[in-house]
Amino acid sequence: MVKSPKIPTLKNHSYRKLYFKHDVPTVPRTTLSSDRHFEISHRCAWPDTIDPHRLEFYMIFMSTLGEGIHTFGPREYYVRENMLCFVSPDMIRSWKAEMKDQRGYFITFSESFFNEGCENKQFLQELPFFQMNGNAVLTLTDEQTQYYLSLFKLMHDEYIHANSYSDNVLRSQLQLVLHKAFAQAKIEGLSAEPENRSGLRLLKAFKALYLRDFHTLGQGKSVMLKKVAEYADTLGVSQNHLNDTVKLITGRSAGQLIRHHLTSHATMCLMHADKNISEIAFALGFEDPSYFARFYKNQTGKSPTEFRATINP
């Protein structure tokens, strides 16, 4: 059996090496941690080809010059001017340029950055263009293009001339972009056409199951995650079939998707919850706080204590 190539996941410090081979990006700010990542760049020149990969964060970009073939998850798009594109952390994406010059704006941000102070913590995951079976590209009219360009220019200026209030301003501007795009998607009916693919339906059903188990946090109860085999049994498929299907589409196993989401929740709790680390561990379903500490360090490279020290120096 020929092994499929490993799909790399690019972190906020490593994706620039791949994305900026022919241009110098804006110098990134150092005030945000990797868990609260936000960056906006302008006039980036991507390489002619970018091999399949995933990003550790969300991306929104709009081309103002150039054309190329983008693959987002299981779909392939011919991207050109006046298009707004969306990439979620679970999407495998690749790029093949059809023109030499490529220009535009793109924004990258972490879920933790976006969700800070946000009442609906599920908003990003509910957006149709971040779904595996959603339409990841919005085609814009000239008027719509100018509207989004004006927003991106304001965000870029705020980012370049940042002050102590800029994070909140950038977050509000980012929310405006996404709410406006969501409204357009709903009006045009782009979110109402699920693909007739059994794999995507299974992935969507699996994510709905394990995300439901996280809802208990909002009710003041501990998370009670199930084993992958139990989710598979509920879905009426074998564990191997579930893992193979999820990995084929996302590049991650079913267990890795759950652990990634659990880590994101842990990060949010460590940043904002008025609880000690043991209380957070119990709330997230860990019976042993020391095991939670090992789990978190294995996933992020920092222990919970080390992470809290970075946000409360």
Side-chain angles (χ1 to χ4, degrees):
M1 178 183 293
V2 179
K3 292 185 177 179
S4 58
K6 184 177 180 181
I7 306 297
T9 298
L10 305 182
K11 299 180 182 295
N12 64 340
H13 60 273
S14 60
Y15 86 100
R16 299 185 192 97
K17 297 178 181 178
L18 182 63
Y19 276 68
F20 293 112
K21 286 187 177 179
H22 308 311
D23 203 1
V24 179
T26 302
V27 177
R29 294 187 300 160
T30 58
T31 55
L32 297 182
S33 69
S34 61
D35 302 287
R36 297 178 62 250
H37 169 75
F38 177 91
E39 186 173 334
I40 179 168
S41 299
H42 182 220
R43 295 175 57 83
C44 56
W46 289 354
D48 293 338
T49 302
I50 300 180
D51 292 332
H53 63 281
R54 288 192 311 272
L55 298 173
E56 194 180 45
F57 38 77
Y58 289 85
M59 173 185 282
I60 305 170
F61 71 89
M62 186 168 70
S63 175
T64 57
L65 175 67
E67 299 177 3
I69 299 172
H70 269 283
T71 299
F72 302 109
R75 285 189 173 187
E76 189 175 86
Y77 300 85
Y78 196 90
V79 174
R80 57 188 184 277
E81 296 176 31
N82 295 10
M83 285 186 170
L84 191 62
C85 306
F86 304 85
V87 186
S88 74
D90 292 332
M91 278 186 190
I92 296 176
R93 69 182 303 264
S94 62
W95 160 253
K96 178 69 172 66
E98 296 293 317
M99 290 178 61
K100 182 178 180 180
D101 293 326
Q102 306 292 329
R103 292 290 185 271
Y105 281 95
F106 76 86
I107 303 167
T108 57
F109 61 96
S110 67
E111 186 174 23
S112 297
F113 176 82
F114 182 87
N115 279 342
E116 189 169 338
C118 183
E119 185 174 340
N120 181 8
K121 306 297 186 186
Q122 307 300 318
F123 179 71
L124 286 175
Q125 298 165 27
E126 293 168 353
L127 291 173
F129 29 78
F130 285 137
Q131 301 295 323
M132 291 298 174
N133 62 339
N135 194 320
V137 175
L138 292 180
T139 301
L140 308 175
T141 64
D142 289 341
E143 184 179 358
Q144 290 169 331
T145 297
Q146 291 306 311
Y147 174 82
Y148 284 108
L149 279 177
S150 66
L151 288 178
F152 291 158
K153 289 175 182 176
L154 287 172
M155 294 176 74
H156 190 256
D157 185 66
E158 186 71 34
Y159 182 79
I160 296 299
H161 304 97
N163 56 52
S164 58
Y165 301 100
S166 291
D167 289 356
N168 290 332
V169 174
L170 290 167
R171 190 177 295 107
S172 296
Q173 292 170 326
L174 178 58
Q175 290 172 350
L176 178 57
V177 169
L178 288 172
H179 279 287
K180 186 68 175 179
F182 184 35
Q184 180 183 340
K186 295 288 283 186
I187 291 171
E188 296 178 2
L190 297 179
S191 61
E193 300 179 2
E195 294 185 6
N196 186 24
R197 298 188 183 187
S198 59
L200 288 171
R201 289 198 301 270
L202 179 59
L203 173 63
K204 188 174 182 179
F206 168 61
K207 292 185 74 173
L209 280 180
Y210 74 74
L211 288 176
R212 187 187 306 161
D213 288 337
F214 281 93
H215 291 171
T216 55
L217 272 178
Q219 302 166 0
K221 302 176 183 178
S222 297
V223 174
M224 297 293 291
L225 291 174
K226 302 176 182 68
K227 294 181 179 179
V228 172
E230 294 178 271
Y231 289 119
D233 186 58
T234 300
L235 294 167
V237 298
S238 70
Q239 181 177 345
N240 286 340
H241 178 67
L242 177 61
N243 268 321
D244 291 344
T245 301
V246 171
K247 193 162 189 176
L248 179 65
I249 298 173
T250 71
R252 290 173 173 161
S253 69
Q256 286 174 325
L257 280 188
I258 294 173
R259 289 191 290 274
H260 176 76
H261 197 74
L262 181 60
T263 303
S264 295
H265 268 280
T267 298
M268 291 297 295
C269 289
L270 289 168
M271 289 173 62
H272 306 298
D274 187 19
K275 296 180 179 179
N276 61 41
I277 292 173
S278 294
E279 290 172 327
I280 291 173
F282 295 137
L284 293 174
F286 291 86
E287 296 181 0
D288 182 356
S290 62
Y291 176 63
F292 167 65
R294 292 195 298 272
F295 166 84
Y296 191 79
K297 185 164 188 175
N298 182 58
Q299 296 295 313
T300 68
K302 294 179 181 177
S303 70
T305 302
E306 290 170 336
F307 173 70
R308 273 197 159 168
T310 64
I311 58 177
N312 297 305

